[in-house]
Amino acid sequence: MDRELINIITRDTETLIKSAGTTEHLEFIDGNDNPISVGIPYHIHITSDKSYWYMTSNEHETNSILIFKADGNDPSFVRYRKLYGSKRQTYLYESRYVPTEIDYRQGSIQLHFAKPANDTSAKVFEISQEDFAKDTPNYLETQINFIIKGERNDVETRNQRLIDSKDLQLPGLKEILQPLRFFQPSKPTKEDVIERLEGFVQERVEGATTPTAPATTTTTSTTSYSGGGSSGGSSGGGGGGGYS
């Protein structure tokens, strides 16, 4: 509903005041009466009826949300409540996307991220495409067309440029998203193969509850099962010593 109203406001805007200021302590609330944190930049839309509508961000963006003066004298907030009433807040939860073989053939994927709009200290987290499409004015959101296959240096440079740009819209994004996440080279180099193998081995070692002994060939009588188990335990112990 908020998004519909924002679209109406932007279409009816006569004057747009960019970088109008930053929020102060308990100065603004959102449509659900949640206080807006200190230091959030905002801009102002003045519509044809001379109404003032405050929105987050220095200038209008797709993830800007409506905010209202908390002193109770904001006529825009009164109209907003009459139009939409009080509604329950929609919560978003972390959901990490895993690329498919089709994604790697295409070479890029869409990733979606969010953070609470009224908490500047909150961390950015990844959300699903379905949640990104929901009307969630209590969150700041962004999406990024992330490159996952190509020449290593080129992919790293282009992704880092995208991350830096999106971090301006969603501060904290570059703290959780690395430019070579999911990277796969078009033509694997020797270094890429070694790095992937080392990563695989490291995951196996970190995920194992006990060290795994190297494979050995032993001859064990089928009628002496308990003896074979003892031998296997001894071999396992020796292998464990080799990892230390």
Side-chain angles (χ1 to χ4, degrees):
M1 291 183 179
D2 280 345
R3 194 57 53 191
E4 295 173 10
L5 180 57
I6 288 175
N7 290 337
I8 293 172
I9 292 170
T10 54
R11 287 196 297 268
D12 192 42
T13 296
E14 287 189 341
T15 304
L16 177 64
I17 304 176
K18 299 181 180 180
S19 301
T22 57
T23 57
E24 298 181 1
H25 182 60
L26 298 180
E27 181 185 14
F28 287 92
I29 56 175
D30 63 19
N32 290 312
D33 293 323
N34 297 311
I36 302 299
S37 297
V38 175
I40 301 295
Y42 63 87
H43 62 284
I44 303 173
H45 293 258
I46 305 177
T47 50
S48 60
D49 62 353
K50 307 308 176 186
S51 296
Y52 281 62
W53 297 91
Y54 300 85
M55 300 187 198
T56 57
S57 301
N58 284 317
E59 57 184 272
H60 191 72
E61 300 175 354
T62 56
N63 57 1
S64 294
I65 68 168
L66 282 167
I67 56 176
F68 306 93
K69 289 286 188 177
D71 56 14
N73 297 319
D74 189 344
S76 296
F77 186 65
V78 175
R79 288 198 300 274
Y80 172 84
R81 276 299 173 84
K82 286 182 178 179
L83 282 170
Y84 297 107
S86 180
K87 57 184 180 180
R88 295 182 62 186
Q89 180 175 341
T90 299
Y91 292 94
L92 299 179
Y93 299 93
E94 183 173 27
S95 176
R96 296 189 178 186
Y97 184 78
V98 178
T100 64
E101 288 300 322
I102 294 177
D103 292 327
Y104 278 110
R105 285 200 292 269
Q106 293 176 342
S108 65
I109 53 176
Q110 284 282 345
L111 297 177
H112 307 82
F113 300 90
K115 68 180 294 185
N118 60 355
D119 186 357
T120 55
S121 64
K123 290 187 176 181
V124 175
F125 58 95
E126 186 176 349
I127 61 174
S128 66
Q129 183 177 6
E130 291 74 18
D131 278 351
F132 182 78
K134 294 178 181 178
D135 183 15
T136 53
N138 298 302
Y139 291 88
L140 299 176
E141 301 173 350
T142 194
Q143 63 179 347
I144 182 170
N145 186 32
F146 203 68
I147 304 166
I148 58 176
K149 190 170 184 177
E151 195 278 320
R152 184 186 185 93
N153 291 336
D154 181 54
V155 170
E156 184 173 18
T157 299
R158 293 169 65 185
N159 278 345
Q160 188 62 62
R161 188 181 300 121
L162 289 170
I163 293 170
D164 290 342
S165 175
K166 294 295 183 178
D167 188 77
L168 297 175
Q169 300 177 16
L170 194 64
L173 176 64
K174 61 184 179 182
E175 295 178 9
I176 68 162
L177 182 60
Q178 301 302 315
L180 292 177
R181 180 178 176 184
F182 303 129
F183 170 69
Q184 186 180 99
S186 297
K187 294 181 179 179
T189 63
K190 179 180 178 181
E191 289 76 14
D192 289 321
V193 173
I194 293 175
E195 183 175 325
R196 293 179 65 184
L197 286 175
E198 288 178 344
F200 175 75
V201 170
Q202 183 66 25
E203 288 179 2
R204 290 289 300 274
V205 171
E206 291 178 351
T209 56
T210 57
T212 302
T216 58
T217 302
T218 60
T219 303
T220 305
S221 170
T222 57
T223 60
S224 302
Y225 181 77
S226 60
S230 174
S231 175
S234 176
S235 297
Y243 277 83
S244 60

